[in-house]
């Protein structure tokens, strides 16, 4: 997506229920996401944050209700795993994703400050740099709705601020985000979805 | 379409990096054949007779041990989600994964065959039916095998389970593959029929395995 363009993708969840291991753990979720929105999902361990995110991302079939997206190819999911290959270098991982999403690597690499390690295999990176590589896929994908699980786990203060700035830029372009986290996240105007255990 | 080739290129690259299965598979292939040759002894006529079954069985076993690497790492590191959310047709993605597996194992085993066949007194014109049967049949092994890998992607140490699932499905390819190689070397007129049936088995796998793999992967994303 070119810089000038604005996203216009919306996502709605109607009476959504998700199950883990055959047991319904979250139900009755109603959520409408417009361009520029951010929703932070909070709740104790085991409340179903990750499972709910996978349902929003279309990777998990809901146990009830539905998720409606105006454009099915505009969601990008970044779980706690970074989805990179340990034996490939940072650049090789980015180039592979770029081929899948039909995008370019340079902007995403710069946005997450990955240039110093671009030629190193992922397995040699610190936890923080590995997370940054995982998050780079959000920027790289060029997709409108970011669905992220614990984005700032393992990041230092400066990288957390950098992610918050990227999130703000993404929302300013009409992008939206659904983020599950335990940590404080500076996202002005974000709504909070509290999950009960 | 560039995603299709990107998946093949990445998987082939990974197979040759540390922890990849390519060199393990070809080493295992060589090892089984050498052990067989040692066990059979110096009877050259007997060796030529059993060469095709021994090489085909070894190729099948070497393929088998590398199958766990097709989908399990992708599921463990989150890549499977990325493949799923960027794939227009999941069956096409599964076809790319199977193709990459064939390049990094089946094709490699076929390439190593001329050297290893020497141990069984197979050289010159007798070698061609063996190579041709492996070229036609090994893609079928990768296609069927990657379906079993997709089914068991979520299970740790699924190697034995994969072997149990694929062994009956591999039977036609083993029978027609080894049959074609033996018949071809002996100048038997059954050669053509065996090759045609081997090709049919691989084509059948090429159609149904990606569809079945896609269904298995969707189930494993949940």
């Amino acid at each position: 997506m070119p810089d000038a363009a604005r996203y216009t993708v919306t996502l709605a969840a109607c009476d959504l229920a998700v199950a883990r291991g055959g047991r319904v753990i979250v139900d009755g979720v109603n959520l409408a996401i417009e361009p520029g929105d951010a929703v932070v999902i909070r709740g104790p361990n085991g409340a179903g944050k990750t499972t709910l995110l996978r349902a929003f991302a279309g990777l998990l079939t809901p146990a009830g209700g539905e998720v409606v997206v105006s454009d099915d190819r505009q969601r990008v999911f970044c779980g706690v795993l970074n989805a990179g290959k340990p034996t490939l270098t940072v650049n090789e991982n980015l180039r592979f994703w770029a081929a899948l999403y039909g995008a370019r690597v340079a902007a995403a690499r710069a946005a997450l400050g990955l240039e110093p390690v671009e030629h190193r295999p992922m397995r040699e990176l610190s936890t923080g740099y590995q997370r940054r590589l995982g998050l780079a896929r959000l920027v790289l994908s060029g997709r409108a709705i970011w669905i992220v699980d614990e984005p700032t786990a393992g990041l230092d203060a400066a990288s957390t601020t950098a992610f918050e700035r990227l999130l703000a830029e993404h929302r300013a372009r009409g992008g939206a985000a659904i983020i599950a986290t335990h940590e404080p996240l500076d996202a002005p105007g974000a709504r909070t979805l509290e999950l009960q255990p | 379409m560039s995603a299709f080739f990107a998946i093949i290129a990445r998987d082939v690259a990974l197979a040759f990096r540390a922890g990849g299965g390519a060199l393990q598979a070809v080493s295992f292939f060589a090892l089984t054949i050498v052990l067989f040759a040692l066990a059979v002894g110096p009877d050259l006529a007997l060796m030529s007779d059993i060469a095709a079954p021994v090489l085909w069985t070894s190729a099948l076993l070497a393929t088998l041990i590398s199958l766990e690497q097709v989908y399990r790492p992708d599921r463990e590191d989150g890549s499977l989600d990325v493949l799923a959310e960027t794939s227009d047709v999941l069956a096409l993605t599964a076809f790319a994964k199977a193709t990459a597996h064939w390049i990094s194992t089946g094709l490699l085993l076929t390439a190593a065959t001329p050297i290893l066949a020497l141990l069984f007194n197979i050289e010159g014109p007798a070698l061609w039916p063996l190579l041709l049967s492996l070229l036609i049949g090994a893609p079928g092994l990768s296609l069927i095998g990657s379906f079993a890998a997709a089914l068991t992607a979520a299970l740790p140490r699924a190697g034995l389970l994969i072997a149990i699932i694929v062994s009956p499905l591999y039977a036609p390819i083993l029978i027609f593959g080894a049959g074609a190689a033996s018949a071809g070397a002996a100048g038997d007129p059954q050669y053509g029929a065996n090759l045609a049936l081997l090709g049919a088995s691989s084509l059948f796998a090429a159609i149904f395995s990606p569809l079945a793999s896609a269904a298995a992967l969707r189930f494993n994303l949940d």
Side-chain angles (χ1 to χ4, degrees):
Chain A
M1 175 143 318
D3 284 342
R6 278 182 61 86
Y7 299 107
T8 55
V9 186
T10 60
L11 180 147
C14 312
D15 201 22
L16 183 68
V18 294
R20 186 176 52 214
R23 206 167 59 90
V24 173
I25 45 172
V26 181
D27 61 359
V29 175
N30 287 289
L31 196 65
I33 290 171
E34 301 289 322
D37 282 359
V39 175
V40 177
I41 303 177
R42 295 191 183 275
N45 291 139
K49 298 187 293 296
T50 300
T51 315
L52 192 58
L53 283 184
R54 292 184 67 83
F56 283 135
L59 294 167
L60 180 120
T61 314
E66 58 178 346
V67 178
V68 183
V69 208
S70 61
D71 182 345
D72 197 36
R73 306 306 305 275
Q74 284 294 339
R75 289 178 288 188
V76 53
F77 174 73
C78 177
V80 285
L81 302 166
N82 294 317
K85 288 294 172 187
T87 50
L88 297 185
T89 67
V90 168
N91 273 343
E92 285 170 331
N93 274 303
L94 289 170
R95 266 189 241 114
F96 174 63
W97 291 334
L100 290 188
Y101 290 97
R104 294 175 176 282
V105 300
R109 188 172 52 209
L112 274 301
L114 288 165
E115 287 100 337
V117 293
E118 61 181 327
H119 299 297
R120 305 241 319 257
M122 188 183 171
R123 61 156 185 248
E124 290 177 12
L125 304 186
S126 67
T127 310
Y129 267 112
Q130 291 196 11
R131 190 57 182 153
R132 286 205 232 171
L133 175 59
L135 293 173
R137 191 165 55 81
L138 295 171
V139 179
L140 180 145
S141 74
R143 292 190 171 187
I145 300 182
W146 292 3
I147 299 167
V148 203
D149 201 358
E150 295 291 352
T152 55
L155 293 187
D156 58 23
S159 305
T160 302
T161 311
F163 175 73
E164 288 164 348
R165 199 182 59 244
L166 288 172
L167 180 63
E169 287 168 10
H170 180 63
R171 291 170 66 197
R173 283 196 303 272
I178 308 173
I179 297 166
T181 185
H182 291 290
E183 301 189 20
L185 187 76
D186 179 27
R191 285 174 285 161
T192 304
L193 179 65
E194 236 7 284
L195 295 185
Q196 305 306 321
Chain B
M1 215 50 198
S2 71
F4 183 84
F5 293 110
I7 292 169
I8 296 178
R10 181 199 69 155
D11 272 23
V12 172
L14 285 172
F16 287 95
R17 301 270 166 107
L23 297 176
Q24 282 169 22
V26 77
S27 313
F28 185 86
F29 181 57
L31 201 66
T32 353
I33 290 167
V34 169
L35 291 176
F36 252 113
L38 291 173
V40 171
D43 184 344
L44 285 180
L46 176 64
M47 281 196 140
S48 313
D49 284 348
I50 64 166
V54 166
L55 270 102
W56 255 96
T57 311
S58 304
L60 189 149
L61 292 175
T63 306
L64 211 55
I65 61 156
S66 61
L67 288 173
E68 216 184 334
Q69 296 292 318
V70 179
Y71 284 110
R72 201 175 45 81
D74 281 350
R75 186 164 188 292
E76 279 177 355
D77 64 23
S79 305
L80 198 56
D81 294 338
V82 179
L83 292 175
E85 76 175 17
T86 55
S87 173
D88 288 317
V89 184
L90 202 51
L92 210 57
T93 303
F95 191 75
K97 296 281 292 177
T99 306
H101 182 263
W102 171 69
I103 294 172
S104 54
T105 56
L107 196 59
L108 208 59
L109 301 183
T110 312
T113 295
I115 301 163
L116 292 163
L118 282 176
L119 287 173
F120 279 83
N121 197 28
I122 297 285
E123 53 185 334
L127 186 60
W128 293 111
L130 184 60
L131 287 178
L132 193 58
S133 65
L134 282 170
L135 268 179
I136 296 171
L141 297 180
S142 289
L143 283 157
I144 294 170
S146 61
F147 159 64
L151 263 186
T152 57
L155 304 173
R157 289 182 296 281
L160 186 62
L161 186 58
I162 290 176
I164 292 168
I165 295 170
V166 297
S167 292
L169 301 171
Y170 274 178
I173 294 183
L174 181 67
I175 292 166
F176 299 132
S182 296
D188 191 312
Q190 297 288 308
Y191 177 44
N194 270 307
L195 271 189
L197 286 166
L198 181 64
S201 306
S202 279
L203 285 175
F204 185 82
I207 308 263
F208 285 100
S209 156
L211 295 171
S213 302
L217 289 176
R218 252 179 234 113
F219 180 77
N220 269 325
L221 285 172
D222 273 15

Coordinates of all heavy atoms in Angstrom, one line a residue, chain B residues 56 59-60 63 98 101-102 105-107 109-110 129-145 169-178 180-181 194-206:
Chain B
W56 N 15.1 -49.0 -4.1 CA 13.8 -48.4 -3.9 C 13.4 -48.4 -2.5 O 12.9 -47.3 -2.0 CB 12.8 -49.1 -4.8 CG 12.5 -48.3 -6.0 CD1 13.0 -48.4 -7.2 CD2 11.5 -47.2 -6.0 NE1 12.5 -47.4 -8.1 CE2 11.6 -46.7 -7.3 CE3 10.7 -46.6 -5.1 CZ2 10.8 -45.6 -7.7 CZ3 9.9 -45.5 -5.5 CH2 10.0 -45.0 -6.8
A59 N 15.3 -45.7 -0.7 CA 14.9 -44.4 -1.0 C 13.6 -44.0 -0.3 O 13.4 -42.9 0.2 CB 14.6 -44.3 -2.5
L60 N 12.7 -45.0 -0.2 CA 11.4 -44.8 0.5 C 11.7 -44.6 2.0 O 11.1 -43.6 2.6 CB 10.6 -46.1 0.4 CG 9.1 -46.1 0.8 CD1 8.3 -47.0 -0.1 CD2 9.0 -46.5 2.3
T63 N 13.2 -41.1 2.5 CA 12.1 -40.1 2.4 C 11.3 -40.0 3.7 O 11.0 -38.9 4.2 CB 11.2 -40.4 1.3 OG1 11.9 -40.6 0.1 CG2 10.1 -39.3 1.0
A98 N 5.4 -29.7 -0.8 CA 5.8 -31.0 -1.3 C 6.8 -31.0 -2.3 O 7.7 -31.8 -2.4 CB 4.5 -31.7 -1.8
H101 N 10.1 -30.4 -0.8 CA 10.6 -31.7 -0.1 C 11.2 -32.6 -1.2 O 12.2 -33.2 -0.9 CB 9.4 -32.4 0.6 CG 9.9 -33.6 1.3 ND1 9.7 -34.8 0.8 CD2 10.5 -33.8 2.5 CE1 10.2 -35.7 1.6 NE2 10.7 -35.1 2.7
W102 N 10.5 -32.7 -2.3 CA 11.0 -33.5 -3.4 C 12.4 -33.1 -3.8 O 13.4 -33.9 -4.0 CB 10.1 -33.6 -4.6 CG 10.7 -34.3 -5.8 CD1 11.0 -35.6 -5.8 CD2 11.1 -33.7 -7.0 NE1 11.6 -35.9 -7.1 CE2 11.7 -34.7 -7.8 CE3 11.1 -32.4 -7.5 CZ2 12.2 -34.5 -9.1 CZ3 11.6 -32.2 -8.8 CH2 12.1 -33.2 -9.5
T105 N 15.0 -33.9 -1.1 CA 15.3 -35.3 -0.7 C 15.2 -36.2 -2.0 O 16.2 -36.7 -2.4 CB 14.3 -35.8 0.3 OG1 13.0 -35.7 -0.1 CG2 14.5 -35.2 1.7
G106 N 14.0 -36.3 -2.6 CA 13.9 -37.2 -3.7 C 14.9 -37.0 -4.9 O 15.5 -37.9 -5.3
L107 N 15.0 -35.7 -5.3 CA 15.9 -35.4 -6.4 C 17.4 -35.7 -6.0 O 18.2 -36.2 -6.8 CB 15.7 -34.0 -6.8 CG 16.3 -33.6 -8.1 CD1 15.7 -34.4 -9.3 CD2 16.0 -32.1 -8.4
L109 N 18.4 -37.9 -3.7 CA 18.5 -39.4 -3.7 C 18.7 -39.9 -5.1 O 19.6 -40.8 -5.3 CB 17.3 -40.1 -3.0 CG 17.0 -39.7 -1.6 CD1 15.8 -40.5 -1.1 CD2 18.1 -39.8 -0.7
T110 N 17.9 -39.4 -6.0 CA 18.1 -39.8 -7.4 C 19.5 -39.5 -7.9 O 20.1 -40.3 -8.6 CB 17.0 -39.2 -8.3 OG1 15.7 -39.3 -7.6 CG2 16.9 -39.8 -9.6
P129 N 16.8 -47.5 -16.3 CA 15.4 -47.7 -15.7 C 15.3 -47.4 -14.2 O 14.3 -46.9 -13.8 CB 15.3 -49.3 -15.9 CG 16.2 -49.6 -17.0 CD 17.4 -48.7 -16.9
L130 N 16.4 -47.6 -13.5 CA 16.4 -47.3 -12.1 C 16.2 -45.8 -11.8 O 15.4 -45.3 -11.1 CB 17.7 -47.8 -11.4 CG 17.8 -47.6 -9.9 CD1 16.7 -48.4 -9.2 CD2 19.1 -48.1 -9.4
L131 N 17.0 -45.0 -12.6 CA 16.9 -43.5 -12.4 C 15.6 -43.0 -12.9 O 15.0 -42.1 -12.2 CB 18.1 -42.9 -13.3 CG 19.5 -43.0 -12.7 CD1 20.5 -42.3 -13.6 CD2 19.5 -42.4 -11.3
L132 N 15.1 -43.5 -14.0 CA 13.8 -43.1 -14.5 C 12.7 -43.4 -13.6 O 11.8 -42.5 -13.3 CB 13.6 -43.7 -15.9 CG 12.4 -43.1 -16.7 CD1 12.7 -41.6 -17.0 CD2 12.3 -43.9 -18.1
S133 N 12.7 -44.6 -13.0 CA 11.6 -44.9 -12.0 C 11.7 -44.0 -10.8 O 10.7 -43.6 -10.3 CB 11.7 -46.4 -11.7 OG 12.9 -46.7 -10.9
L134 N 12.9 -43.7 -10.3 CA 13.0 -42.8 -9.2 C 12.6 -41.4 -9.5 O 11.9 -40.7 -8.7 CB 14.5 -42.8 -8.7 CG 14.9 -44.0 -7.8 CD1 16.4 -44.0 -7.6 CD2 14.2 -44.0 -6.5
L135 N 12.9 -41.0 -10.7 CA 12.5 -39.6 -11.1 C 11.0 -39.5 -11.2 O 10.4 -38.5 -10.8 CB 13.1 -39.3 -12.5 CG 14.4 -38.5 -12.5 CD1 14.8 -38.3 -14.0 CD2 14.3 -37.2 -11.8
I136 N 10.3 -40.6 -11.6 CA 8.8 -40.5 -11.7 C 8.2 -40.8 -10.4 O 7.2 -40.2 -10.1 CB 8.4 -41.6 -12.8 CG1 8.9 -41.2 -14.2 CG2 6.8 -41.7 -12.8 CD1 8.7 -42.2 -15.2
G137 N 8.8 -41.7 -9.6 CA 8.1 -42.1 -8.4 C 8.4 -41.3 -7.1 O 7.5 -41.1 -6.3
A138 N 9.6 -40.7 -7.0 CA 10.0 -40.0 -5.8 C 9.0 -38.8 -5.6 O 8.7 -38.5 -4.4 CB 11.4 -39.5 -5.9
P139 N 8.6 -38.0 -6.6 CA 7.6 -37.0 -6.4 C 6.4 -37.5 -5.7 O 5.8 -36.8 -4.8 CB 7.3 -36.4 -7.7 CG 8.5 -36.7 -8.6 CD 9.0 -38.0 -8.1
G140 N 5.9 -38.7 -6.0 CA 4.8 -39.2 -5.4 C 5.0 -39.5 -3.9 O 4.1 -39.3 -3.1
L141 N 6.2 -40.0 -3.6 CA 6.6 -40.2 -2.2 C 6.5 -38.9 -1.4 O 6.0 -38.9 -0.3 CB 8.0 -40.8 -2.1 CG 8.3 -42.2 -2.7 CD1 9.7 -42.6 -2.5 CD2 7.3 -43.2 -2.1
S142 N 7.0 -37.8 -2.0 CA 7.0 -36.5 -1.3 C 5.6 -36.0 -1.1 O 5.3 -35.4 -0.1 CB 7.9 -35.5 -2.0 OG 9.2 -35.8 -1.9
L143 N 4.8 -36.2 -2.1 CA 3.4 -35.7 -2.1 C 2.6 -36.4 -1.0 O 2.0 -35.8 -0.2 CB 2.8 -35.8 -3.5 CG 3.2 -34.8 -4.5 CD1 3.0 -35.3 -5.9 CD2 2.4 -33.5 -4.3
I144 N 2.6 -37.7 -1.1 CA 1.9 -38.5 -0.1 C 2.4 -38.3 1.3 O 1.7 -38.1 2.3 CB 1.9 -40.0 -0.4 CG1 1.2 -40.2 -1.7 CG2 1.3 -40.8 0.7 CD1 1.4 -41.7 -2.3
G145 N 3.7 -38.2 1.4 CA 4.4 -38.0 2.7 C 4.1 -36.7 3.3 O 3.9 -36.6 4.5
L169 N 0.1 -46.3 1.9 CA -0.1 -45.5 0.8 C 1.1 -45.5 -0.2 O 0.9 -45.2 -1.4 CB -0.4 -44.0 1.2 CG -1.6 -43.8 2.2 CD1 -1.6 -42.4 2.7 CD2 -2.9 -44.1 1.4
Y170 N 2.2 -45.8 0.4 CA 3.4 -46.0 -0.4 C 3.5 -47.3 -1.2 O 4.3 -47.4 -2.1 CB 4.7 -45.9 0.5 CG 5.1 -44.4 0.8 CD1 6.2 -44.2 1.6 CD2 4.5 -43.3 0.2 CE1 6.7 -42.9 1.9 CE2 4.9 -42.1 0.5 CZ 6.0 -41.9 1.3 OH 6.5 -40.6 1.5
A171 N 2.7 -48.3 -0.8 CA 2.8 -49.6 -1.4 C 2.8 -49.6 -3.0 O 3.6 -50.2 -3.6 CB 1.8 -50.5 -0.8
P172 N 1.8 -48.9 -3.6 CA 1.7 -48.9 -5.1 C 3.0 -48.4 -5.7 O 3.5 -48.9 -6.7 CB 0.5 -48.1 -5.4 CG -0.3 -47.9 -4.2 CD 0.6 -48.1 -3.0
I173 N 3.5 -47.2 -5.1 CA 4.7 -46.6 -5.7 C 5.9 -47.5 -5.6 O 6.7 -47.7 -6.5 CB 4.9 -45.2 -5.0 CG1 3.8 -44.3 -5.4 CG2 6.3 -44.7 -5.4 CD1 3.9 -42.9 -4.9
L174 N 6.0 -48.2 -4.4 CA 7.1 -49.1 -4.2 C 7.1 -50.3 -5.2 O 8.1 -50.7 -5.8 CB 7.1 -49.6 -2.8 CG 8.3 -50.6 -2.4 CD1 9.6 -49.9 -2.4 CD2 8.1 -51.2 -1.0
I175 N 5.8 -50.8 -5.3 CA 5.7 -52.0 -6.2 C 6.0 -51.7 -7.7 O 6.8 -52.3 -8.3 CB 4.2 -52.6 -6.1 CG1 4.1 -53.2 -4.7 CG2 3.9 -53.6 -7.1 CD1 2.6 -53.5 -4.3
F176 N 5.4 -50.6 -8.1 CA 5.6 -50.2 -9.6 C 7.0 -49.6 -9.8 O 7.6 -49.8 -10.9 CB 4.5 -49.2 -10.0 CG 3.1 -49.8 -9.9 CD1 2.1 -49.0 -9.3 CD2 2.8 -51.0 -10.4 CE1 0.8 -49.5 -9.3 CE2 1.5 -51.5 -10.3 CZ 0.5 -50.8 -9.8
G177 N 7.5 -48.9 -8.8 CA 8.8 -48.3 -9.0 C 9.9 -49.4 -9.0 O 10.7 -49.5 -10.0
A178 N 9.9 -50.3 -8.0 CA 10.9 -51.4 -8.0 C 10.7 -52.3 -9.2 O 11.6 -52.8 -9.8 CB 10.9 -52.1 -6.7
A180 N 9.4 -51.6 -12.2 CA 9.9 -50.9 -13.4 C 11.4 -51.0 -13.5 O 11.9 -51.4 -14.6 CB 9.4 -49.5 -13.5
A181 N 12.1 -50.7 -12.4 CA 13.5 -50.7 -12.4 C 14.1 -52.1 -12.7 O 15.0 -52.3 -13.5 CB 14.1 -50.2 -11.1
N194 N 4.8 -51.0 -16.0 CA 5.1 -50.6 -14.7 C 5.4 -49.1 -14.6 O 4.9 -48.4 -13.6 CB 6.4 -51.3 -14.2 CG 6.0 -52.6 -13.5 OD1 5.2 -52.7 -12.6 ND2 6.6 -53.7 -14.0
L195 N 6.1 -48.5 -15.5 CA 6.4 -47.1 -15.5 C 5.1 -46.3 -15.6 O 5.0 -45.3 -15.0 CB 7.3 -46.7 -16.7 CG 8.8 -46.8 -16.5 CD1 9.5 -46.1 -17.7 CD2 9.3 -46.1 -15.2
A196 N 4.2 -46.7 -16.5 CA 3.0 -46.0 -16.7 C 2.1 -46.0 -15.4 O 1.6 -45.0 -15.0 CB 2.1 -46.6 -17.8
L197 N 2.1 -47.1 -14.7 CA 1.3 -47.2 -13.5 C 2.0 -46.4 -12.4 O 1.3 -45.8 -11.5 CB 1.2 -48.7 -13.0 CG 0.2 -49.5 -13.9 CD1 0.3 -51.0 -13.6 CD2 -1.2 -49.0 -13.5
L198 N 3.3 -46.4 -12.4 CA 4.1 -45.5 -11.4 C 3.8 -44.1 -11.7 O 3.5 -43.3 -10.7 CB 5.6 -45.8 -11.6 CG 6.5 -45.0 -10.7 CD1 6.3 -45.4 -9.2 CD2 8.0 -45.3 -11.1
G199 N 3.8 -43.7 -12.9 CA 3.4 -42.3 -13.3 C 2.0 -41.9 -12.9 O 1.7 -40.9 -12.3
A200 N 1.1 -42.9 -13.1 CA -0.3 -42.7 -12.7 C -0.4 -42.5 -11.2 O -1.2 -41.6 -10.7 CB -1.2 -43.9 -13.1
S201 N 0.4 -43.3 -10.4 CA 0.3 -43.2 -8.9 C 0.8 -41.8 -8.5 O 0.2 -41.1 -7.6 CB 1.2 -44.2 -8.3 OG 0.9 -45.5 -8.7
S202 N 1.9 -41.3 -9.1 CA 2.4 -40.0 -8.8 C 1.4 -38.9 -9.1 O 1.2 -37.9 -8.4 CB 3.8 -39.7 -9.4 OG 4.8 -40.3 -8.7
L203 N 0.8 -39.0 -10.3 CA -0.2 -38.0 -10.7 C -1.4 -38.0 -9.8 O -1.9 -36.9 -9.4 CB -0.6 -38.3 -12.2 CG 0.4 -37.9 -13.2 CD1 -0.1 -38.3 -14.6 CD2 0.7 -36.4 -13.2
F204 N -1.8 -39.2 -9.4 CA -3.0 -39.3 -8.5 C -2.6 -38.5 -7.2 O -3.4 -37.7 -6.7 CB -3.2 -40.7 -8.2 CG -4.5 -41.0 -7.4 CD1 -5.7 -41.0 -7.9 CD2 -4.3 -41.2 -6.0 CE1 -6.8 -41.2 -7.2 CE2 -5.4 -41.5 -5.2 CZ -6.7 -41.5 -5.8
A205 N -1.4 -38.8 -6.7 CA -0.9 -38.1 -5.5 C -0.8 -36.6 -5.7 O -1.1 -35.8 -4.8 CB 0.4 -38.7 -5.0
A206 N -0.4 -36.2 -6.9 CA -0.3 -34.7 -7.2 C -1.6 -34.0 -7.1 O -1.7 -32.8 -6.8 CB 0.4 -34.5 -8.5

